[in-house]
Amino acid sequence: MSGFSTARLKMVDGQVRTNDVTDRRILDAMLTVPREAFVPVARQALAYLDLDLDVSEGGAKRFLIKPQLTGKLLQAAEIGEGDNVLVVGCATGYLAALTATLARQITATECDSALAAKAKDACASLANVTCKAAACAEGDPSAAPYDVIILNGAFEVTPEALLGQLKEGGRLVGVSAQSTPPRAMIVTHTHGEFGHRALFDAAAPVLPGLERAAAFVF
């Protein structure tokens, strides 16, 4: 077993299972998808640590969120094999690659065009994944409506455009940093209404374009 394979097993056993991720499909995906392939070579030794991993190469900081939070958000989303899923702020595409094992069709957006290109390359072998450069707050209306929208990060403002792309009965999962402490949140679309439910305390980097506007100070 290679060093990365061993690290992947330790990540799943030590970080993911121990945080109440019990969906076998998600555990299998996290054991199979090589996280190091989505990380710059100079940082691959950090690929399986319990941290939000900076994968940016110049420009704004962009991250793969912690493995345990990734697993818990995927489990909360209850993704079905026939689902059409939008992954927002996909960075280099790791979350999209995991989701590809669970759903029928994945659209992944990334606001940094260079990282979107890396995600496209990293997911090139996955026939059900389309990676695009797009602002995080905008989503991708062309492939909407979505059964599930999953955010690879946090939001400080209500993602109105994303909610508008949810199918009836659909759900959005991500980390709400609109209040303290930040919490993982699921938003469901039912009968034209949106219901919000906090899931558990969680922290993640805020996605570009979903930050709270800075207050003006005299």
Side-chain angles (χ1 to χ4, degrees):
M1 184 178 284
S2 72
F4 283 130
S5 297
T6 301
R8 201 173 305 129
L9 180 60
K10 287 182 176 178
M11 174 191 76
V12 171
D13 286 346
Q15 299 172 42
V16 183
R17 290 183 200 272
T18 54
N19 276 283
D20 301 321
V21 177
T22 56
D23 188 322
R24 184 74 243 173
R25 303 173 307 149
I26 295 168
L27 296 173
D28 285 346
M30 297 186 82
L31 283 168
T32 304
V33 175
R35 189 171 159 96
E36 73 277 5
F38 298 86
V39 177
V41 173
R43 274 170 250 156
Q44 284 185 338
L46 308 176
Y48 293 98
L49 298 184
D50 181 25
L51 49 78
D52 299 312
L53 185 55
D54 181 0
V55 293
S56 48
E57 298 184 33
K61 294 281 190 185
R62 300 292 296 111
F63 299 86
L64 304 185
I65 58 175
K66 294 179 186 69
Q68 55 92 359
L69 178 56
T70 300
K72 291 187 78 165
L73 290 176
L74 284 170
Q75 182 162 276
E78 297 184 342
I79 295 168
E81 63 183 19
D83 284 353
N84 180 30
V85 179
L86 173 66
V87 176
V88 175
C90 72
T92 50
Y94 176 66
L95 180 55
L98 292 175
T99 309
T101 70
L102 308 172
R104 175 181 58 83
Q105 183 63 42
I106 291 56
T107 301
T109 62
E110 170 51 45
C111 59
D112 182 314
S113 58
L115 286 187
K118 288 182 182 295
K120 190 171 185 177
D121 287 345
C123 295
S125 65
L126 304 173
N128 61 337
V129 177
T130 302
C131 298
K132 297 183 175 184
C136 295
E138 292 177 3
D140 182 28
S142 70
Y146 299 100
D147 298 284
V148 175
I149 298 175
I150 184 164
L151 276 61
N152 179 50
F155 55 94
E156 292 180 330
V157 296
T158 302
E160 300 284 1
L162 299 181
L163 293 177
Q165 293 170 35
L166 274 180
K167 187 177 290 186
E168 172 73 22
R171 53 238 174 252
L172 176 147
V173 295
V175 174
S176 171
Q178 292 174 293
S179 58
T180 304
R183 293 187 171 94
M185 182 79 68
I186 185 165
V187 183
T188 52
H189 183 206
T190 312
H191 305 305
E193 303 282 330
F194 293 100
H196 299 69
R197 180 164 57 91
L199 300 170
F200 50 87
D201 289 355
V206 178
L207 290 168
L210 293 175
E211 311 98 335
R212 190 179 294 109
F216 185 75
V217 179
F218 287 97

